[in-house]
Amino acid sequence: SNAYFLGNAPTVGTTPFSSSYPTIYYCSGKTGWTNPWQGRPTLSRDCQQSSESSLSGFSESFSSESSQSTLWMDYGYSESGGQLTITSYSGPGGDIEIPSHIDGKPVVSIGAQAFLNKTAITSVTIPDTVTTMVGDSTGNFRGCTGLKYAYFPDNFTSIPQYCFYGCTSSVSIVATGLTTVGDSAFGTSGIMYFVFPDNLISFGSYCFASCPRLTTVSINTTSTSSYMFSGSKLTNCTFGASLTTLWHNSLQSLVSGS
């Protein structure tokens, strides 16, 4: 649903939209508008052009944009230098595609707790505008227990610490451009399919620890990390000829059978 305003932002009473969630359209240059406004996403337009100064022309000019913009209300974000970081998600879950742009500004990053414990999400596709994730011990997708698939663009290179920690469903990750996986990035998760690209050379401690569905891996890297697969259920692990360093307890699950 959409709401169109040609004038300044009106004075509002308590909860003017109640349980409805329209996208708000207004004429640029008018005062009082913010994004969001009254908790709803907004878009502006130069109403001095063509027929947009009329009510019907104004609404029609946005008809091609409105279907995409209604998705923006599901995301909270911060802005720096005209670029956006997704900081939260409030949508219904299911298969989601993170928007590449919001209000014409590129989404370039995903915040540390953006999708924390969003158990209804089943798959996530990340656009090629996103090149980084903010990492901390909370985890970007930590506790998304319904997550089954995650798709990263080829230009995405680093999955931060605790990113998918505790995602207990049978998770498959497609991320062909990776060079780095952070500490405990997939710890205690249900990851069962992960393509280790040849350019993936840096692994954090415990990055695949306690992953009961991960049984077979093939890695072309120069070095493992401490407790890399500790507590997992590996039955086969193949390393390429470039391996030079095997760190402390990195293959503990193979040695102990734990």
Side-chain angles (χ1 to χ4, degrees), residues 83-113:
Q83 298 181 324
L84 307 183
T85 295
I86 298 296
T87 57
S88 63
Y89 174 77
S90 58
D95 300 332
I96 68 170
E97 295 186 16
I98 295 174
S100 61
H101 291 76
I102 295 178
D103 200 10
K105 297 167 184 168
V107 175
V108 300
S109 183
I110 297 175
Q113 304 177 36

Side-chain angles (χ1 to χ4, degrees), residues 168-255:
T168 53
S169 290
S170 301
V171 185
S172 296
I173 306 293
V174 178
T176 58
L178 282 184
T179 60
T180 304
V181 173
D183 293 349
S184 299
F186 297 97
T188 69
S189 75
I191 187 171
M192 60 182 297
Y193 175 78
F194 184 84
V195 175
F196 290 82
D198 288 345
N199 47 313
L200 178 53
I201 57 174
S202 178
F203 299 91
S205 299
Y206 296 92
C207 56
F208 293 99
S210 301
C211 297
R213 294 186 176 91
L214 190 63
T215 59
T216 301
V217 297
S218 180
I219 309 172
N220 187 25
T221 184
T222 58
S223 176
T224 63
S225 62
S226 298
Y227 297 94
M228 184 171 175
F229 296 103
S230 176
S232 294
K233 302 296 181 182
L234 287 179
T235 57
N236 294 286
C237 188
T238 303
F239 290 95
S242 60
L243 182 71
T244 59
T245 305
L246 199 63
W247 279 93
H248 178 67
N249 282 331
S250 57
L251 298 179
Q252 185 182 45
S253 60
L254 278 173
V255 175

Side-chain angles (χ1 to χ4, degrees), residues 71-132:
L71 300 175
W72 300 350
M73 71 181 69
D74 294 342
Y75 299 91
Y77 55 88
S78 61
E79 180 179 350
S80 177
Q83 298 181 324
L84 307 183
T85 295
I86 298 296
T87 57
S88 63
Y89 174 77
S90 58
D95 300 332
I96 68 170
E97 295 186 16
I98 295 174
S100 61
H101 291 76
I102 295 178
D103 200 10
K105 297 167 184 168
V107 175
V108 300
S109 183
I110 297 175
Q113 304 177 36
F115 297 91
L116 178 66
N117 294 329
K118 298 301 181 181
T119 58
I121 295 176
T122 54
S123 76
V124 58
T125 300
I126 296 170
D128 59 10
T129 56
V130 172
T131 56
T132 62

Side-chain angles (χ1 to χ4, degrees), residues 58-82:
F58 183 72
S59 60
E60 289 170 1
S61 69
F62 279 98
S63 60
S64 62
E65 301 175 31
S66 60
S67 60
Q68 180 181 3
S69 64
T70 55
L71 300 175
W72 300 350
M73 71 181 69
D74 294 342
Y75 299 91
Y77 55 88
S78 61
E79 180 179 350
S80 177

Side-chain angles (χ1 to χ4, degrees), residues 31-52:
T31 62
W33 297 106
T34 58
N35 187 19
W37 185 75
Q38 298 297 313
R40 307 302 186 263
T42 62
L43 279 173
S44 64
R45 187 74 173 232
D46 183 359
C47 299
Q48 301 304 312
Q49 300 179 7
S50 65
S51 61
E52 291 177 16

